[in-house]
Amino acid sequence: MLPVIALVGRPNVGKSTLFNRLTRTRDAIVADFAGLTRDRHYGTARWGARQFIVVDTGGLEDSAEGAIFEKMAGQTQQAIAEADLVMFLVDVRAGLAGQDQEIARYLRRLGKPTLLVANKAEGMKSGAQLSEFYELGLGPVYAVSAAHGQGVRDLLELAAEQLPPEPQPDDAAGDGDAQEQAAPIRIAVAGRPNAGKSTLINAWLGEDRLVTFDMPGTTRDAIRVPIERGAQRYELIDTAGLRRKGKVFEAVEKFSVVKTLQAIEGAQVVVLVIDATQGVTDQDAHIAGFILESGRAVVVAINKWDALDRYQREQLARSLELRLGFMRFAPVKHISALKRQGLEPLWKAIDAAYAAATRKMPTAKLTRLLQEAVQYQAPRKSGMFRPKPRYAHQGGMNPPVIVIHGNSLDHLDQAYRRFLETWFRKAFKLEGTPLRIELRTSDNPYADKS
């Protein structure tokens, strides 16, 4: 097990900036905006030969400011509980605040190893500004500038010294072998705001791992959560809800949209969560279209299914056929994330979609199926030309790509392409994944001769 470092502090002291600096990524959204981070955000950092996990947390706010801040505080407390070392960040330019005193009192009570980090100390030549933070009773104050990298190397070296000792070589080798045996399957959970994406992941995990609240836009970052089922490891990616372009105003929300689109492209399976009480909207169709363009395997999860009566369910089925007819290959599962209903069939559909997206299709079988399809229904003649498919082979996976070679294939109409796609899908049971067919026409050796 890798040691864990938790970054805690009140809002807007630079925790996400330091997280990005330590992990050498831009995974955490950063803005001059209090309360931006809400969920626990995990990343991996390294110092020399040491490797450890860094946890970015939401700012610890006064619970009187709203119920959502209570849930954010719960996430932070959970991160502190599982950490081996806590980095308590304060803002040296804003000075000591009453919330800093409360957080320090909480950390002293827990007795966790803690480093007091005074952030935003760029350009400060003397330590006079740091003196007031010694009254927090957490030992020396370490001045850094997460935005500029000042003092971060020294902080990492100090943290590495205070972390638990490294595991023995035998243990480390065993962990590496286990990781090679089962690479994690990346699953992105996407959909409109407030459709129940975070609630679904919490239901899978059996704990309140992500902040859920009856307010659109609660999730802002793309949060990655590892999970194991049997011998298979998964990486769940909770994404921010995608709303229409005209309703995206804040720069923070625009960054969230970019993170969501990147998460979809980087996933292997996407679970499209649709709010049954709101029906299938145009925005759901737009998100489905982007998933299709990305070539990701997809499972449609109709959430809050238990809230509909019989007539509403029939109307929803018609709306699904009308608006998402271009994704008939995707299995549709009815669930209730809040009541943990329908989760097992959803897992089976995800595994089946991943298996279909990564299925190997032998050239001999593909060619035989192609010839059988042509015998069953030959392509229509186009002018002077009749397309003649000859043989096929697999050109890629996730999504599966079938490359067909032959003569005059550029005259093959769309209807026949759909026929071939259906033919191959049925033979290889490609449910839950897009299928791309590429046509390559052989050159005519007599084209340049009179």
Side-chain angles (χ1 to χ4, degrees):
M1 294 289 292
L2 295 177
V4 178
I5 297 177
L7 308 180
V8 303
R10 57 188 176 86
N12 213 29
V13 295
K15 297 183 296 297
S16 296
T17 305
L18 182 59
F19 175 88
N20 288 344
R21 177 71 64 175
L22 296 179
T23 59
R24 299 180 183 181
T25 66
R26 292 187 177 181
D27 288 347
I29 298 178
V30 177
D32 189 13
F33 182 89
L36 182 60
T37 304
R38 288 172 175 170
D39 298 292
R40 304 201 306 271
H41 200 161
Y42 290 76
T44 304
R46 182 183 295 273
W47 174 254
R50 295 293 318 258
Q51 191 174 12
F52 44 89
I53 296 172
V54 182
V55 189
D56 183 22
T57 65
L60 283 165
E61 281 268 18
D62 186 358
S63 61
E65 295 202 20
I68 192 169
F69 292 108
E70 292 183 10
K71 299 195 175 189
M72 290 166 58
Q75 292 283 313
T76 302
Q77 291 168 2
Q78 180 64 31
I80 294 172
E82 65 187 24
D84 298 293
L85 176 67
V86 176
M87 288 188 182
F88 174 28
L89 271 70
V90 293
D91 187 343
V92 68
R93 295 187 180 274
L96 186 62
Q99 290 176 346
D100 295 328
Q101 298 275 12
E102 293 294 329
I103 298 170
R105 191 176 298 114
Y106 177 72
L107 293 174
R108 288 199 308 270
R109 189 166 65 248
L110 291 179
K112 283 272 183 179
T114 302
L115 295 179
L116 182 56
V117 182
N119 192 28
K120 306 182 185 180
E122 61 272 12
M124 293 187 178
K125 297 182 179 179
S126 66
Q129 295 92 339
L130 307 178
S131 58
E132 61 178 329
F133 295 103
Y134 280 89
E135 66 180 80
L136 294 176
L138 293 173
V141 183
Y142 303 96
V144 302
S145 172
H148 298 84
Q150 175 185 328
V152 174
R153 291 174 60 89
D154 295 337
L155 182 65
L156 268 173
E157 184 175 2
L158 186 64
E161 294 174 356
Q162 298 198 21
L163 288 173
E166 293 184 84
Q168 296 299 321
D170 293 343
D171 298 337
D175 292 342
D177 293 341
Q179 290 177 2
E180 291 179 359
Q181 290 174 1
I185 298 174
R186 296 184 300 277
I187 303 173
V189 182
R192 291 184 292 117
N194 216 31
K197 301 180 293 296
S198 299
T199 305
L200 174 59
I201 292 182
N202 285 344
W204 275 337
L205 298 173
E207 63 168 307
D208 291 336
R209 168 63 181 81
L210 302 171
V211 173
T212 58
F213 200 66
D214 188 16
M215 179 183 70
T218 300
T219 301
R220 285 167 171 160
D221 276 304
I223 306 298
R224 299 173 183 269
V225 185
I227 184 176
E228 289 189 18
R229 280 175 54 87
Q232 180 61 56
R233 297 189 301 126
Y234 301 87
E235 185 180 66
L236 307 178
I237 309 172
D238 185 26
T239 63
L242 291 172
R243 59 176 92 200
R244 293 202 309 270
K245 278 186 178 180
K247 292 192 174 182
V248 179
F249 300 109
E250 296 181 2
V252 168
E253 191 169 355
K254 292 179 181 178
F255 280 119
S256 298
V257 170
V258 172
K259 292 286 186 183
T260 297
L261 300 181
Q262 289 175 341
I264 291 174
E265 290 183 337
Q268 293 164 310
V269 182
V270 179
V271 177
L272 175 58
V273 181
I274 294 176
D275 187 344
T277 61
Q278 300 294 323
V280 184
T281 66
D282 290 338
Q283 185 61 10
D284 291 319
H286 289 318
I287 299 171
F290 180 80
I291 296 171
L292 184 62
E293 290 176 6
S294 301
R296 302 303 95 184
V298 59
V299 178
V300 179
I302 308 296
N303 192 27
K304 308 177 187 178
W305 181 250
D306 57 314
L308 304 186
D309 57 28
R310 182 176 178 181
Y311 174 75
Q312 291 172 321
R313 292 180 178 181
E314 291 175 355
Q315 291 296 108
L316 182 61
R318 293 193 188 98
S319 179
L320 196 66
E321 181 67 24
L322 179 65
R323 295 182 183 272
L324 298 184
F326 59 91
M327 290 186 69
R328 290 189 177 92
F329 62 85
V332 178
K333 300 298 176 183
H334 305 114
I335 67 170
S336 172
L338 191 61
K339 296 183 179 179
R340 300 173 58 84
Q341 296 174 352
L343 300 186
E344 189 61 31
L346 181 59
W347 271 118
K348 291 180 179 179
I350 290 171
D351 289 334
Y354 174 75
T358 56
R359 184 153 295 148
K360 293 183 179 180
M361 297 176 283
T363 300
K365 186 174 181 179
L366 281 172
T367 301
R368 185 173 66 253
L369 286 169
L370 176 64
Q371 293 170 352
E372 291 174 357
V374 172
Q375 289 177 359
Y376 181 82
Q377 180 178 329
R380 287 191 299 180
K381 189 175 181 181
S382 177
M384 298 175 57
F385 306 96
R386 182 182 295 278
K388 296 181 180 179
R390 301 293 189 187
Y391 67 95
H393 64 86
Q394 187 172 6
M397 291 189 295
N398 197 23
V401 179
I402 297 176
V403 182
I404 299 176
H405 296 261
N407 298 334
S408 303
L409 297 186
D410 49 342
H411 296 282
L412 209 62
D413 57 28
Q414 290 296 329
Y416 198 78
R417 292 190 188 196
R418 288 194 296 270
F419 162 72
L420 289 177
E421 180 180 339
T422 304
W423 191 272
F424 288 124
R425 277 190 182 280
K426 185 176 179 181
F428 287 100
K429 299 180 180 178
L430 300 178
E431 184 182 21
T433 178
L435 174 62
R436 294 178 179 173
I437 295 180
E438 295 182 5
L439 305 175
R440 296 184 184 175
T441 300
S442 302
D443 295 331
N444 184 356
Y446 302 102
D448 298 331
K449 297 183 179 181
S450 58

